[in-house]
Amino acid sequence: ISVAEYQKLIKAQPKAKAKRATKVKTERVVSEGEATLAQHLKAHGVSFEQEFRFCVDRKWRADFHIVGHKLLVEVEGGIWSGGRHTRAKGYIGDMEKYNAAVALGYRVLRFSTEQVKSGFAINGILGLVE
């Protein structure tokens, strides 16, 4: 078989499709902002739930639910590093999620990690719950 015939034969073979990588379920890592906000809420005696599923039809969860106030709090990470929340698909998904929360009667507060660490977030939350 000549080189030309070999190359024709190889090109005629159907190429195998690349397999999609499967997602492995791992434990969720709590961000620095979420850990700090949890400490602030505990220190001020504010009752809360983390990873609160607010919509039964979707798998949406809020970082925090302030119990008894129908208040959801999100700590937005990766805003300076081009994270999920600042790219188009993630941003649109967040809008859908937050609009659904409001339609279900929740108030939604969003804070950056820097706002949580500075105390701005806990002050805003306390202003609504006290």
Side-chain angles (χ1 to χ4, degrees), residues 29-61:
V29 177
V30 177
S31 72
E32 179 184 10
E34 289 177 38
T36 302
L37 186 56
Q39 287 177 336
H40 290 177
L41 291 168
K42 287 176 188 173
H44 288 279
V46 177
S47 181
F48 67 93
E49 298 175 60
Q50 281 187 268
E51 287 299 302
F52 176 72
R53 188 168 176 184
F54 66 88
C55 181
V56 294
D57 298 335
R58 301 286 298 262
K59 292 183 180 180
W60 285 324
R61 296 179 188 275

Side-chain angles (χ1 to χ4, degrees), residues 1 4 12 21 36 47-48 69-70 86 89 105 114-115 120 123:
I1 184 168
T36 302
S47 181
F48 67 93
H69 295 277
K70 272 201 116 169
T86 59
K89 185 177 178 183
E114 291 80 12
Q115 290 174 316
F120 179 80
N123 289 334

